[in-house]
CSV table of all heavy atoms in Angstrom, one decimal:
chain,number,residue,atom,x,y,z
P,980,LEU,N,-4.0,-34.6,49.1
P,980,LEU,CA,-5.4,-34.2,48.8
P,980,LEU,C,-6.1,-35.3,48.0
P,980,LEU,O,-5.5,-35.8,47.0
P,980,LEU,CB,-5.4,-32.9,47.9
P,980,LEU,CG,-5.5,-31.6,48.6
P,980,LEU,CD1,-5.4,-30.5,47.5
P,980,LEU,CD2,-6.7,-31.4,49.4
P,981,SER,N,-7.2,-35.8,48.5
P,981,SER,CA,-7.9,-36.8,47.7
P,981,SER,C,-8.5,-36.1,46.5
P,981,SER,O,-8.7,-34.9,46.4
P,981,SER,CB,-9.1,-37.4,48.6
P,981,SER,OG,-10.1,-36.4,48.8
P,982,ASP,N,-8.9,-37.0,45.5
P,982,ASP,CA,-9.5,-36.4,44.3
P,982,ASP,C,-10.8,-35.7,44.6
P,982,ASP,O,-11.1,-34.6,44.0
P,982,ASP,CB,-9.7,-37.6,43.3
P,982,ASP,CG,-8.5,-38.1,42.7
P,982,ASP,OD1,-7.4,-37.5,42.8
P,982,ASP,OD2,-8.5,-39.3,42.2
P,983,GLY,N,-11.6,-36.2,45.5
P,983,GLY,CA,-12.8,-35.6,45.9
P,983,GLY,C,-12.6,-34.2,46.5
P,983,GLY,O,-13.3,-33.3,46.2
P,984,ALA,N,-11.6,-34.2,47.4
P,984,ALA,CA,-11.3,-32.9,48.1
P,984,ALA,C,-10.8,-31.9,47.1
P,984,ALA,O,-11.1,-30.7,47.2
P,984,ALA,CB,-10.3,-33.1,49.2
P,985,ARG,N,-9.9,-32.3,46.1
P,985,ARG,CA,-9.4,-31.4,45.1
P,985,ARG,C,-10.6,-30.8,44.3
P,985,ARG,O,-10.6,-29.6,44.1
P,985,ARG,CB,-8.5,-32.2,44.2
P,985,ARG,CG,-7.7,-31.4,43.2
P,985,ARG,CD,-6.9,-32.3,42.3
P,985,ARG,NE,-6.0,-33.1,43.2
P,985,ARG,CZ,-4.7,-32.7,43.4
P,985,ARG,NH1,-4.3,-31.6,42.8
P,985,ARG,NH2,-3.9,-33.4,44.1
P,986,ALA,N,-11.5,-31.6,43.9
P,986,ALA,CA,-12.7,-31.1,43.1
P,986,ALA,C,-13.6,-30.2,44.0
P,986,ALA,O,-14.0,-29.2,43.5
P,986,ALA,CB,-13.5,-32.3,42.6
P,987,HIS,N,-13.7,-30.6,45.2
P,987,HIS,CA,-14.6,-29.8,46.1
P,987,HIS,C,-14.0,-28.4,46.4
P,987,HIS,O,-14.7,-27.4,46.4
P,987,HIS,CB,-14.7,-30.6,47.4
P,987,HIS,CG,-15.7,-29.8,48.4
P,987,HIS,ND1,-17.0,-29.8,48.2
P,987,HIS,CD2,-15.5,-29.2,49.6
P,987,HIS,CE1,-17.6,-29.1,49.2
P,987,HIS,NE2,-16.6,-28.8,50.1
P,988,LEU,N,-12.7,-28.4,46.5
P,988,LEU,CA,-12.0,-27.0,46.7
P,988,LEU,C,-12.3,-26.1,45.5
P,988,LEU,O,-12.5,-24.9,45.6
P,988,LEU,CB,-10.5,-27.2,46.9
P,988,LEU,CG,-10.0,-27.7,48.2
P,988,LEU,CD1,-8.5,-28.0,48.1
P,988,LEU,CD2,-10.3,-26.7,49.3
P,989,GLN,N,-12.3,-26.7,44.3
P,989,GLN,CA,-12.5,-25.9,43.1
P,989,GLN,C,-13.9,-25.4,42.9
P,989,GLN,O,-14.2,-24.5,42.2
P,989,GLN,CB,-12.1,-26.7,41.9
P,989,GLN,CG,-10.6,-26.9,41.8
P,989,GLN,CD,-10.2,-27.7,40.5
P,989,GLN,OE1,-10.5,-28.9,40.5
P,989,GLN,NE2,-9.5,-27.1,39.6
P,990,THR,N,-14.9,-26.0,43.6
P,990,THR,CA,-16.3,-25.6,43.5
P,990,THR,C,-16.8,-24.9,44.7
P,990,THR,O,-18.0,-24.4,44.7
P,990,THR,CB,-17.2,-26.9,43.2
P,990,THR,OG1,-17.0,-27.8,44.3
P,990,THR,CG2,-16.8,-27.5,41.9
P,991,MET,N,-16.0,-24.7,45.7
P,991,MET,CA,-16.4,-24.0,46.9
P,991,MET,C,-16.4,-22.5,46.6
P,991,MET,O,-15.8,-22.0,45.7
P,991,MET,CB,-15.4,-24.3,48.1
P,991,MET,CG,-15.5,-25.6,48.7
P,991,MET,SD,-14.2,-25.9,50.0
P,991,MET,CE,-14.6,-24.6,51.2
P,992,ARG,N,-17.2,-21.8,47.4
P,992,ARG,CA,-17.2,-20.3,47.4
P,992,ARG,C,-16.1,-19.8,48.3
P,992,ARG,O,-15.8,-20.3,49.4
P,992,ARG,CB,-18.5,-19.7,47.9
P,992,ARG,CG,-19.7,-20.1,47.1
P,992,ARG,CD,-19.7,-19.6,45.7
P,992,ARG,NE,-20.8,-19.9,44.9
P,992,ARG,CZ,-21.0,-19.7,43.6
P,992,ARG,NH1,-20.0,-19.1,42.9
P,992,ARG,NH2,-22.1,-20.1,42.9
P,993,TRP,N,-15.4,-18.8,47.7
P,993,TRP,CA,-14.1,-18.2,48.5
P,993,TRP,C,-14.3,-16.7,48.6
P,993,TRP,O,-13.5,-16.0,48.0
P,993,TRP,CB,-12.9,-18.6,47.7
P,993,TRP,CG,-12.7,-20.1,47.6
P,993,TRP,CD1,-12.8,-20.8,46.5
P,993,TRP,CD2,-12.2,-20.9,48.6
P,993,TRP,NE1,-12.5,-22.2,46.8
P,993,TRP,CE2,-12.1,-22.2,48.1
P,993,TRP,CE3,-11.8,-20.7,49.9
P,993,TRP,CZ2,-11.7,-23.3,48.8
P,993,TRP,CZ3,-11.4,-21.8,50.7
P,993,TRP,CH2,-11.3,-23.1,50.1
P,994,PRO,N,-15.1,-16.2,49.5
P,994,PRO,CA,-15.2,-14.8,49.7
P,994,PRO,C,-13.9,-14.2,50.3
P,994,PRO,O,-13.6,-13.0,50.1
P,994,PRO,CB,-16.4,-14.6,50.7
P,994,PRO,CG,-16.5,-16.0,51.3
P,994,PRO,CD,-16.1,-17.0,50.3
P,995,GLY,N,-13.2,-15.0,51.0
P,995,GLY,CA,-11.9,-14.6,51.6
P,995,GLY,C,-10.7,-14.9,50.7
P,995,GLY,O,-9.5,-14.6,51.0
P,996,ASN,N,-11.0,-15.6,49.5
P,996,ASN,CA,-10.0,-15.8,48.5
P,996,ASN,C,-8.7,-16.6,49.0
P,996,ASN,O,-8.9,-17.5,49.8
P,996,ASN,CB,-9.6,-14.5,47.8
P,996,ASN,CG,-10.7,-13.9,47.0
P,996,ASN,OD1,-11.0,-14.5,46.0
P,996,ASN,ND2,-11.3,-12.9,47.5
P,997,ILE,N,-7.5,-16.2,48.6
P,997,ILE,CA,-6.3,-17.0,48.9
P,997,ILE,C,-6.1,-17.1,50.4
P,997,ILE,O,-5.7,-18.1,51.0
P,997,ILE,CB,-5.1,-16.4,48.2
P,997,ILE,CG1,-5.2,-16.5,46.7
P,997,ILE,CG2,-3.8,-17.0,48.7
P,997,ILE,CD1,-4.2,-15.8,45.9
P,998,ARG,N,-6.4,-16.0,51.1
P,998,ARG,CA,-6.2,-16.1,52.6
P,998,ARG,C,-7.2,-17.1,53.2
P,998,ARG,O,-6.8,-17.9,54.1
P,998,ARG,CB,-6.6,-14.7,53.2
P,998,ARG,CG,-6.2,-14.5,54.6
P,998,ARG,CD,-6.5,-13.1,55.1
P,998,ARG,NE,-5.8,-12.1,54.4
P,998,ARG,CZ,-6.4,-11.0,53.8
P,998,ARG,NH1,-7.7,-10.9,53.9
P,998,ARG,NH2,-5.7,-10.2,53.1
P,999,GLN,N,-8.4,-17.2,52.8
P,999,GLN,CA,-9.4,-18.1,53.2
P,999,GLN,C,-9.0,-19.6,52.9
P,999,GLN,O,-9.0,-20.5,53.7
P,999,GLN,CB,-10.8,-17.9,52.7
P,999,GLN,CG,-11.8,-18.8,53.1
P,999,GLN,CD,-13.2,-18.6,52.5
P,999,GLN,OE1,-13.3,-17.7,51.6
P,999,GLN,NE2,-14.1,-19.4,52.8
P,1000,LEU,N,-8.4,-19.8,51.7
P,1000,LEU,CA,-7.9,-21.1,51.2
P,1000,LEU,C,-6.9,-21.6,52.1
P,1000,LEU,O,-6.9,-22.7,52.6
P,1000,LEU,CB,-7.5,-21.0,49.8
P,1000,LEU,CG,-6.8,-22.3,49.2
P,1000,LEU,CD1,-7.8,-23.5,49.3
P,1000,LEU,CD2,-6.3,-22.0,47.8
P,1001,ARG,N,-5.9,-20.7,52.5
P,1001,ARG,CA,-4.8,-21.1,53.4
P,1001,ARG,C,-5.3,-21.5,54.7
P,1001,ARG,O,-4.9,-22.5,55.3
P,1001,ARG,CB,-3.8,-20.0,53.5
P,1001,ARG,CG,-2.5,-20.4,54.2
P,1001,ARG,CD,-1.6,-19.2,54.4
P,1001,ARG,NE,-0.3,-19.6,54.9
P,1001,ARG,CZ,0.1,-20.0,56.1
P,1001,ARG,NH1,-0.9,-20.0,57.1
P,1001,ARG,NH2,1.3,-20.3,56.5
P,1002,ASN,N,-6.3,-20.8,55.3
P,1002,ASN,CA,-6.9,-21.1,56.6
P,1002,ASN,C,-7.6,-22.5,56.5
P,1002,ASN,O,-7.5,-23.2,57.5
P,1002,ASN,CB,-7.9,-20.0,57.0
P,1002,ASN,CG,-7.2,-18.7,57.3
P,1002,ASN,OD1,-6.0,-18.6,57.5
P,1002,ASN,ND2,-8.0,-17.6,57.3
P,1003,VAL,N,-8.3,-22.7,55.5
P,1003,VAL,CA,-9.0,-24.0,55.3
P,1003,VAL,C,-8.0,-25.1,55.3
P,1003,VAL,O,-8.2,-26.2,56.0
P,1003,VAL,CB,-9.9,-24.0,54.1
P,1003,VAL,CG1,-10.4,-25.5,53.7
P,1003,VAL,CG2,-11.1,-23.1,54.2
P,1004,ILE,N,-6.9,-25.0,54.6
P,1004,ILE,CA,-5.9,-26.0,54.5
P,1004,ILE,C,-5.2,-26.2,55.8
P,1004,ILE,O,-4.9,-27.4,56.3
P,1004,ILE,CB,-4.9,-25.7,53.4
P,1004,ILE,CG1,-5.6,-25.7,52.0
P,1004,ILE,CG2,-3.7,-26.6,53.4
P,1004,ILE,CD1,-6.1,-27.1,51.6
P,1005,GLU,N,-4.9,-25.1,56.5
P,1005,GLU,CA,-4.3,-25.2,57.8
P,1005,GLU,C,-5.1,-26.0,58.8
P,1005,GLU,O,-4.7,-26.8,59.5
P,1005,GLU,CB,-3.9,-23.8,58.3
P,1005,GLU,CG,-3.1,-23.8,59.6
P,1005,GLU,CD,-2.7,-22.5,60.0
P,1005,GLU,OE1,-3.0,-21.5,59.4
P,1005,GLU,OE2,-2.0,-22.4,61.1
P,1006,ARG,N,-6.4,-25.6,58.8
P,1006,ARG,CA,-7.4,-26.3,59.8
P,1006,ARG,C,-7.4,-27.8,59.4
P,1006,ARG,O,-7.4,-28.6,60.4
P,1006,ARG,CB,-8.8,-25.7,59.6
P,1006,ARG,CG,-9.7,-26.3,60.6
P,1006,ARG,CD,-11.1,-25.6,60.5
P,1006,ARG,NE,-11.7,-25.7,59.3
P,1006,ARG,CZ,-12.0,-24.7,58.5
P,1006,ARG,NH1,-11.7,-23.4,58.9
P,1006,ARG,NH2,-12.6,-24.9,57.3
P,1007,ALA,N,-7.5,-28.2,58.1
P,1007,ALA,CA,-7.5,-29.6,57.8
P,1007,ALA,C,-6.3,-30.4,58.2
P,1007,ALA,O,-6.4,-31.5,58.6
P,1007,ALA,CB,-7.7,-29.7,56.3
P,1008,MET,N,-5.1,-29.7,58.1
P,1008,MET,CA,-3.9,-30.4,58.5
P,1008,MET,C,-3.7,-30.5,60.0
P,1008,MET,O,-3.2,-31.5,60.4
P,1008,MET,CB,-2.7,-29.6,57.9
P,1008,MET,CG,-2.6,-29.6,56.4
P,1008,MET,SD,-1.2,-28.8,55.7
P,1008,MET,CE,0.2,-29.8,56.3
P,1009,ILE,N,-4.3,-29.5,60.7
P,1009,ILE,CA,-4.2,-29.6,62.2
P,1009,ILE,C,-5.2,-30.6,62.8
P,1009,ILE,O,-4.8,-31.4,63.6
P,1009,ILE,CB,-4.5,-28.2,62.8
P,1009,ILE,CG1,-3.3,-27.2,62.4
P,1009,ILE,CG2,-4.6,-28.3,64.3
P,1009,ILE,CD1,-3.6,-25.8,62.8
P,1010,LEU,N,-6.4,-30.6,62.3
P,1010,LEU,CA,-7.4,-31.4,62.9
P,1010,LEU,C,-7.5,-32.8,62.4
P,1010,LEU,O,-8.0,-33.8,63.0
P,1010,LEU,CB,-8.8,-30.7,62.7
P,1010,LEU,CG,-9.0,-29.4,63.3
P,1010,LEU,CD1,-10.4,-28.8,63.1
P,1010,LEU,CD2,-8.7,-29.4,64.9
P,1011,GLY,N,-6.9,-33.1,61.2
P,1011,GLY,CA,-7.0,-34.4,60.6
P,1011,GLY,C,-6.0,-35.3,61.1
P,1011,GLY,O,-5.1,-35.0,61.9
P,1012,GLU,N,-6.1,-36.6,60.7
P,1012,GLU,CA,-5.2,-37.6,61.1
P,1012,GLU,C,-3.9,-37.6,60.3
P,1012,GLU,O,-4.0,-37.6,59.0
P,1012,GLU,CB,-5.8,-39.0,61.0
P,1012,GLU,CG,-5.0,-40.1,61.6
P,1012,GLU,CD,-5.7,-41.5,61.6
P,1012,GLU,OE1,-7.0,-41.4,61.4
P,1012,GLU,OE2,-5.1,-42.5,61.6
P,1013,ALA,N,-2.8,-37.6,60.9
P,1013,ALA,CA,-1.5,-37.4,60.2
P,1013,ALA,C,-1.3,-38.5,59.2
P,1013,ALA,O,-1.6,-39.7,59.5
P,1013,ALA,CB,-0.4,-37.4,61.2
């Protein structure tokens, strides 16, 4: 996680809470460059 991404995660809105956070991380790991 970059420092910017770390800070961004902490300021995002999370209506789906922990479940939504896991989905966001999974999507980033799948679509991003290894």
Side-chain angles (χ1 to χ4, degrees):
L980 271 176
S981 70
D982 291 341
R985 187 182 300 267
H987 185 68
L988 285 172
Q989 289 179 291
T990 56
M991 287 175 63
R992 298 294 182 188
W993 298 103
N996 292 288
I997 294 175
R998 191 180 301 128
Q999 180 187 359
L1000 173 62
R1001 190 184 191 281
N1002 291 343
V1003 168
I1004 295 299
E1005 183 174 4
R1006 181 175 64 242
M1008 291 182 71
I1009 291 173
L1010 299 180
E1012 186 175 341

